Amino acid sequence: MKTVSVKLAQLRPTQMAVGYEEVGAKRAKWRALAAEEKLRFLASHPFPAAYGPGAQYFLIDGHHMALALLQERVDLVSVRQIEDLSNLEANQFFLALRKRGLICSSGAPQTLSALPRVLQDLADDPFRSLIARLRRDCGCPKDHAPFAEFRWADFLRVHLKLDLHRGDPALVIKAAKKLIREAWCKDPCAECRCTKEAVS
């Protein structure tokens, strides 16, 4: 796997949306860093991407951070090329990424052209923001599988009426915790603070 320098604005998304609240949180953390810390962060956090048709890099993970950095006017980032599929045409490339689990299924994109062309075109998914808030609040460890948070978001989207709770964030978190725990956390790990809370 090689690492190359790429203009952030030229990275192509492999998902339909991000949680804008989470992007805002990452922007705030970035602004709090000193100049040297920012340089160290960029040097030590290459974005994983697949090299695809049209000599373009398709972002596999880190969409929230990438959009946050773009909004903070960062120009160049390091990209770790995990696949070179530039010999494939667009449809074959899309199918190859999907077969490898590298296309986010949330939003059900069926072709490469259905995906946003630039990071700025990513839609806002409030359920993805909710998952980020839930993870911070209850202490559940991050699942490092690609797009895992969107699978959780899609689960909550089916079972939780966000509009009914929009005025009470604490109630949203409580309802989401209950759903997540019943589905996934029947045997919580030691790091999960949900074990110490009565979720009813």
Side-chain angles (χ1 to χ4, degrees), residues 17-38:
V18 290
Y20 282 10
E21 180 184 308
E22 181 71 354
V23 172
K26 290 186 180 298
R27 290 185 70 181
K29 286 183 179 179
W30 174 259
R31 288 176 185 171
L33 295 177
E36 288 185 2
E37 292 174 315
K38 289 178 178 177

Side-chain angles (χ1 to χ4, degrees), residues 64-183:
H64 288 80
M65 191 71 227
L67 182 56
L69 292 175
L70 187 63
Q71 292 176 349
E72 290 298 313
R73 303 187 185 280
V74 172
D75 183 31
L76 292 173
V77 293
S78 294
V79 165
R80 189 176 74 252
Q81 181 180 303
I82 64 168
E83 293 269 10
D84 183 350
L85 302 172
S86 56
N87 61 317
L88 301 178
E89 58 90 18
N91 187 55
Q92 291 174 324
F93 175 75
F94 179 84
L95 293 175
L97 288 189
R98 191 165 68 178
K99 185 176 181 180
R100 290 163 169 78
L102 300 177
I103 292 285
C104 181
S105 61
S106 185
Q110 297 300 314
T111 63
L112 195 63
S113 61
L115 291 168
R117 291 196 61 82
V118 292
L119 291 164
Q120 300 97 310
D121 289 345
L122 287 163
D124 180 29
D125 182 353
F127 282 94
R128 177 57 183 80
S129 290
L130 175 58
I131 288 297
R133 210 180 327 144
L134 180 67
R135 199 174 66 234
R136 288 192 298 267
D137 185 80
C138 79
C140 294
K142 179 178 172 66
D143 184 343
H144 294 283
F147 311 114
E149 288 90 346
F150 278 99
R151 288 193 290 275
W152 286 44
D154 286 341
F155 171 77
L156 290 181
R157 204 183 320 277
V158 172
H159 295 90
L160 185 65
K161 303 297 183 188
L162 199 58
D163 287 342
L164 297 179
H165 303 295
R166 201 173 290 277
D168 191 344
L171 187 59
V172 173
I173 288 290
K174 186 174 182 179
K177 278 185 184 180
K178 184 175 188 295
L179 287 165
I180 295 290
R181 188 173 183 187
E182 288 175 352

